[in-house]
Amino acid sequence: MDILPFEIPCVILSGGKSSRMGEDKSLLPFLHNNSIIEYQYQRLKPYFKDIYISSKTNKFDFIDETTLILDENKDIYSPILALDTIFEKLNNQKIFIITVDTPFVTIDSIKRIIDESIDVDICVAETEKIHNLCGVFSSNISLTIKTMLKKDIHKIFYLIKNNLHKIINFSNDDEFMNINNKNEYEKSLSYINKNNNSYKF
């Protein structure tokens, strides 16, 4: 069956410090792929006309440089800085943002977020908590981002609440599982095994 890709681009955030993991979590093996980032990229690629990875450095051997958005500031680890760089490259449009460490968000859920984002500048998911970096972000927020950086404000929820936004509730918290440390990494592998290595996206 042919897949009709989403019109908006997707950017996977993979420039975090991974301090709680103790090593670069984006490069940890995952399922049948060499790394979590390769898994996340390959599973989402068929569903978007354009897909990119945001990172501090080019540490990937499965993409070319046209797919990479390098963060202009190498010293400060901040998703606000990453978003600023992303909108410098992909301006005048909406973008679906997702982090490398949330590999279980289903395509159906992504579609719902995109569909619900039509009349707002930011639309993100919520389960037991708000998932600030899983959602649609419009380039209309660029001015707020620039102002935040001038004031040295780096909180994503500050960005959300100061723009026209919508928060969409989902019931399955496991779907939005984050992989931040060794225990969560092991839990994610067990989660896949529990589903007979065939988790359906």
Side-chain angles (χ1 to χ4, degrees):
M1 185 178 69
D2 291 337
I3 296 171
L4 185 63
F6 300 119
E7 291 292 332
I8 70 173
C10 172
V11 178
I12 305 168
L13 301 182
S14 186
K17 208 170 185 179
S18 297
S19 54
R20 282 178 283 176
M21 186 66 73
E23 59 182 300
D24 191 336
K25 61 185 171 184
S26 71
L27 300 180
L28 290 171
F30 201 74
L31 200 54
H32 306 302
N33 294 90
N34 293 325
S35 62
I36 297 176
I37 182 59
E38 184 174 0
Y39 173 81
Q40 184 79 304
Y41 180 85
Q42 298 295 352
R43 82 173 185 98
L44 294 175
K45 190 174 186 293
Y47 299 95
F48 289 88
K49 286 188 175 180
D50 297 296
I51 185 167
Y52 303 88
I53 295 174
S54 167
S55 180
K56 293 285 188 188
T57 59
N58 187 354
K59 54 191 175 182
F60 316 108
D61 58 6
F62 59 92
I63 58 171
D64 59 53
E65 290 189 3
T66 62
T67 307
L68 191 62
I69 301 176
L70 288 175
D71 193 338
E72 294 173 0
N73 191 313
K74 308 296 183 189
D75 300 319
I76 300 174
Y77 291 85
S78 162
I80 296 296
L81 281 168
L83 287 174
D84 186 47
T85 306
I86 289 165
F87 282 121
E88 289 286 342
K89 179 166 183 173
L90 307 175
N91 51 27
N92 298 319
Q93 60 184 307
K94 289 187 173 184
I95 301 167
F96 180 75
I97 299 288
I98 191 169
T99 54
V100 63
D101 59 4
T102 52
F104 301 119
V105 182
T106 66
I107 301 304
D108 284 344
S109 294
I110 292 171
K111 181 180 186 306
R112 184 180 166 205
I113 294 168
I114 292 173
D115 289 345
E116 294 271 6
S117 73
I118 298 299
D119 56 351
V120 293
D121 291 323
I122 300 175
C123 183
V124 294
E126 176 185 42
T127 51
E128 295 177 2
K129 66 177 183 178
I130 297 173
H131 303 280
N132 294 328
L133 290 169
C134 180
V136 174
F137 293 75
S138 167
S139 57
N140 291 342
I141 68 175
S142 293
L143 183 59
T144 308
I145 290 173
K146 298 288 187 189
T147 302
M148 288 174 64
L149 291 175
K150 286 179 182 177
K151 295 180 177 179
D152 199 27
I153 300 170
H154 295 271
K155 297 292 186 183
I156 284 290
F157 193 67
Y158 180 95
L159 176 68
I160 293 171
K161 71 180 182 181
N162 282 282
N163 285 278
L164 185 61
H165 69 275
K166 187 184 292 184
I167 298 172
I168 308 299
N169 186 262
F170 293 86
S171 59
N172 183 5
D173 196 51
D174 283 342
E175 181 185 347
F176 292 86
M177 184 190 309
N178 281 100
I179 303 172
N180 289 312
N181 54 47
K182 297 290 187 183
N183 287 339
E184 290 171 350
Y185 177 55
E186 294 300 327
K187 181 182 176 183
S188 71
L189 297 178
S190 298
Y191 186 67
I192 292 175
N193 290 332
K194 187 173 68 176
N195 288 275
N196 299 316
N197 288 326
S198 59
Y199 185 81
K200 300 299 182 185
F201 300 103

